[in-house]
Amino acid sequence: MRFAPSQENEAFAESLDDLLSGAGVVAAARAWADGDSGPGRKVWAALADLGVTGLAIAEEHGGVGGDAVDLAVAFQALGYHGVPGPVVESIAVLPTLLTDPAQLEALAGGAIGTVALAPRTPFLLDADVADLRFVVGPDGTVTEVEAPSTDPLGSVDRTRRLFATESNTVPVREPAGGGDRNGVQPAEVVGAFAVAAQVLGAGRRLLDDTVEYAKARSQYGKAIGEYQAIKHLLADVATRLELAAPLLSGAAVAVSGSDSRGVDLDPVRDVAAARVAAADAAYLAARTALQVHGAIGYTAEYDLGLWITKVRALQSAWGTQAEHRATVLDAVRKAAR
């Protein structure tokens, strides 16, 4: 049972970090928010070349055939660099729902997909930009939908545009089977898992940027990072982020179905616990970043806001914190019986 990334995972993370560091992701995210998906699509094309868009897709369909540990590594990097678009839906969720080889090959090749799965994810994210759009019905049937004809709903994160689903659907496949414990579908588990990794990466980016700011910003003759009050704030964030990481690793093992060697693994419970811890830690990182940065942190022109608003939006993506806490509580109660 592997609770930590392997050397291959670490090399992949390093390659992905190098790619995204020089890909102009911040400019692409700002353009995406303004309705220009061109720069963002170039970032997606680069991710496809590295195999990221095909991580969860079998090799026979042009993918990599990776497991949940690989997804955890990738999504932390995507969150850290703030890659725009429906990354969770396209890279993690749709490969668990689709069976059509052509559609899977398109996703692996860099096509952008999105999906709505009520009640946790009732809206289509970035449906105006996506190449493939799907809706999952209450019976598990997956249907393909056309490009939206309505205006998007607002989001605190300007790079996220949410669209209500439409009725003009075309059947794609029959239900693949029932859900697991608590009626949660496997796709929902994978979606929540990917969000946990993404938001954890975003939280780490907020911490790193805030630490650098605290080193550079001077007040009363010395860097503000030298004051104990600031050190304690940042230490609290670092601790919370580090404590969330093992839960994400454990969830990755549970989702991938690795050999547990007697350890009690439950994908629904373990993903919910990781999601709660990661999102809470990232939210603390966002609040602390604003507190340390002061007024400049509230300005739209300052890049910090790209991650602060993303963390806030991801608090309710693929299940709210309250829903995931209820899942963990339910699992604990059942284990105590």
Side-chain angles (χ1 to χ4, degrees):
M1 181 172 56
R2 186 157 51 98
F3 282 98
S6 65
Q7 291 183 346
E8 291 78 8
N9 294 137
E10 292 175 352
F12 174 52
E14 184 177 348
S15 298
L16 186 51
D17 183 69
D18 290 342
L19 168 68
L20 294 175
S21 294
V25 177
V26 169
R30 291 192 178 280
W32 193 282
D34 291 334
D36 179 10
S37 63
R41 283 188 174 274
K42 291 181 179 179
V43 174
W44 276 72
L47 291 172
D49 291 340
L50 196 60
V52 176
T53 56
L55 267 182
I57 297 174
E59 294 183 22
E60 62 186 277
H61 299 312
V64 176
D67 59 15
V69 177
D70 299 312
L71 285 175
V73 171
F75 275 93
Q76 286 181 79
L78 296 175
Y80 187 90
H81 291 278
V83 174
V87 292
V88 170
E89 292 75 9
S90 188
I91 300 173
V93 177
L94 280 176
T96 71
L97 294 171
L98 301 180
T99 57
D100 186 286
Q103 293 170 345
L104 292 171
E105 289 171 7
L107 291 175
I112 300 175
T114 189
V115 60
L117 199 165
R120 285 190 169 180
T121 306
F123 301 107
L124 287 168
L125 176 62
D126 295 325
D128 55 336
V129 175
D131 305 299
L132 299 169
R133 311 164 196 85
F134 301 94
V135 174
V136 181
D139 61 351
T141 302
V142 180
T143 58
E144 188 174 4
V145 298
E146 298 178 358
S149 59
T150 58
D151 292 332
L153 302 173
S155 171
V156 66
D157 177 5
R158 292 185 60 244
T159 67
R160 293 171 60 86
R161 292 188 296 277
L162 304 173
F163 291 86
T165 56
E166 300 179 2
S167 60
N168 53 336
T169 59
V170 180
V172 173
R173 71 165 178 85
E174 294 300 317
D180 46 21
R181 186 175 60 77
N182 294 335
V184 179
Q185 298 294 326
E188 292 181 86
V189 176
V190 174
F193 171 73
V195 168
Q198 184 185 16
V199 77
L200 184 62
R204 284 175 170 158
R205 176 59 179 263
L206 285 165
L207 175 62
D208 287 350
D209 286 355
T210 305
V211 168
E212 290 304 313
Y213 179 81
K215 291 179 180 178
R217 177 74 166 90
S218 296
Q219 194 171 38
Y220 302 116
K222 63 179 182 180
I224 62 173
E226 296 182 27
Y227 292 101
Q228 285 294 326
I230 300 297
K231 289 181 180 180
H232 289 167
L233 288 173
L234 297 176
D236 286 344
V237 173
T239 300
R240 292 284 290 276
L241 291 171
E242 288 304 311
L243 289 175
L247 289 173
L248 181 65
S249 297
V253 173
V255 171
S256 64
S258 300
D259 177 16
S260 64
R261 299 183 184 179
V263 177
D264 177 26
L265 297 178
D266 180 340
V268 176
R269 178 202 63 198
D270 296 347
V271 166
R275 163 56 196 274
V276 168
D280 279 353
Y283 192 61
L284 177 63
R287 291 175 61 88
T288 302
L290 275 177
Q291 186 174 357
V292 173
H293 278 80
I296 193 173
Y298 289 88
T299 61
E301 295 78 12
Y302 198 63
D303 292 342
L304 185 76
L306 294 174
W307 281 270
I308 289 176
T309 55
K310 185 170 294 294
V311 165
R312 182 64 186 88
L314 291 177
Q315 296 291 309
S316 59
W318 290 94
T320 65
Q321 290 294 85
E323 289 172 329
H324 290 299
R325 285 192 176 93
T327 297
V328 175
L329 178 60
D330 179 64
V332 172
R333 284 173 171 168
K334 288 183 176 180
R337 291 175 183 170

